[in-house]
Structures are given as C-alpha cells and as structure tokens.
Amino acid sequence: MSGSKNSRWHFSRLKRSQVAVLGASGGIGQPLSLLLKNSPLVSELSLYDIAHTPGVAADLSHIETRATVTGYMGADQLGAALKGCDVVVIPAGVPRKPGMTRDDLFNTNATIVATLADACARHCPQAMICVISNPVNSTIPITSEVMKKHGVYNPNSVFGVTTLDIVRANAFVAELKGLDPARVNVPVVGGHAGKTIIPLISQCTPKVEFPTDQLSALTGRIQEAGTEVVKAKAGAGSATLSMAYAGARFTFSLLDAMNGKEGVVECAFVRSEETECKYFSTPLLLSKNGIEKNLGLGKLSAFEEKLVAEAMDELKGSIKKGEDFVANMK
C-alpha cells in the first residue's frame, strides 16, 4: 500500500486529474468516492452533496493515497466544487424502492440532474460528464439539452454510465460457464432500463454458446438485475456497491484514455447516429477527446436484432421525455 520511492516517482509522472463526485454522500457516492480515492489516476477529488460531505471528505482524506480530498456542501459551494475539474461523475438523486421503475424517479431526478448540468456548463464546460442518476435514458438528453442552452454542448464528452449492465452480464455469463469473470467481456447496447438493455452475447469474448431458452433467461436476468437487487434490499434502496464499482471502472477507463492510453473501449449511452435513436449505447473507443470513435453495433444475431427493434419505442419515448423536460423548464 504505502509506496516505495519508485511508486512515488511513478505518481509524479501521472497526469494531474481532478475528479468531482456530485452526490458524494449517498449510497453510490460514498463507495464510488472510496474507489476513486484508492486510485493513483486521481490527483484531486472534489466531493459535493447537499449534506454530510465534510464528514465523508474528512474520512477519505486519511487514506494514504495520492488524491487530495475536498468536501463541498450546499448549492452555494457547487461552483467551487466544479472549478478546474477534468471529469464529473453524477450519482446524485433518489434510488428505487420495490415496485418502482427507473422512470418513476423521473420527476425528482430530472430536476437534480438539470441543476447539476447547469452548474457544469457554467463552471467546467470542458469536463467529461458521466451521469449515473436514473433514468439514464432521460437524464442524458436532459444533460445534453442543458449544455446546449449554454452553448457548451460537446457530444463526445457526455456519457450515460451503463457499465453496470456490462459488469452484470460478465458476472452472470462467467457464473454459467465456469469462467474467470475478469476475462469475460459482453458488450451491452441500447439503453439503461428493462428491455432497452441489450446484451450482445453473440459478441462475448471468449465465445460462448447457450441454448435458446437459457439465452432468453440470461438476457432477462441481465435486463432485470437492478430490480433483483431492489427486491433483495426490501425497501433499503437499489444497487449501490456494484454501481459504485461500475462507475469507478468507467471513470478509470476515461482517465486512462485521457492520459494517452490507447485502445480503451467502454460502452456508454451517448449521442449517436448508429440507429434511428438520437441516443444509444454502443462500444466506444475513448481518447483524450472523450469519444474518439463510435464502434457501433457490430454483427448482431437474429435474436439480438429483434431485441434492438423492440427497444426502440421505449427508448425514443424516454429521450423525448428528457428533452421536453428541459424545453419546458422555467
């Protein structure tokens, strides 16, 4: 853990990077902030929330890693939290309770995300924005439209974090096939809710085969995995620890790419020309510019083609709902 002179020297070669977590005191925000603090890729960690942030920041600041940690609390400190940030990760908002869909969170979380996006547009317009707050299928259009209002929208730097769908697909496939999950990679495309979540098992590496009924059950489990956790938590919230892991994984990939690492690919829900949907998640080649290249859907099986076709209407509706929300904002 504590570094030799060599690792200290290695730190000095790493690019300075300032990361903000908006919603840092929450169920996702705290473990996400811990994972970010644990990484040598982060030099400054800026933690913002409407409550408890000074305590979370004080606690994390005692960890013997490179990142300096600063806590900011309340709307009047939001600008200061964002000043100079390279990457902003947004897990702020309310979680699902049993019986709720991600869309049931819309009214509360749409307002929160719009407010935070507005602050990003004002205080760190060049930053990469990574939105975790659900419903992602609507909060990404909201973030984009707010940035447009300020004239600072860059489609290559606004990401809906769908990484948890990929992480779950990898874990479930590995479990079924007795593989090391760290070596499994299943691209997941579409959106980040129910049937808009489309795992491309046919493109899994290593190659795996499932009989039709098992493939159908596996796909359903990946699509409803969030609800599985909501039910298991029995009213105490939704996925927080696995989401924090997935959010950190995406952030680290982005930081690696921004530091010049080549060949970094992650799926995310972004502005897209790959389908008839204005926003769509596909594998993306990342670079210092954010999205370097959209790698598209690739070759789909007939089963997957059908899943994509069936997701379109719901996805378009969620996107429009987000856009309309910003259009009607005071």
Side-chain angles (χ1 to χ4, degrees), residues 148-171:
K148 281 181 199 170
K149 278 193 167 179
H150 288 273
V152 295
Y153 176 56
N154 176 357
N156 295 322
S157 61
V158 177
F159 302 91
V161 180
T162 62
T163 317
L164 184 49
D165 299 324
I166 290 88
V167 165
R168 284 167 167 157
N170 293 348

Side-chain angles (χ1 to χ4, degrees), residues 276 309-318:
E276 65 207 57
E310 287 169 356
M312 285 297 170
D313 284 353
E314 182 183 329
L315 207 41
K316 284 179 184 167
S318 299

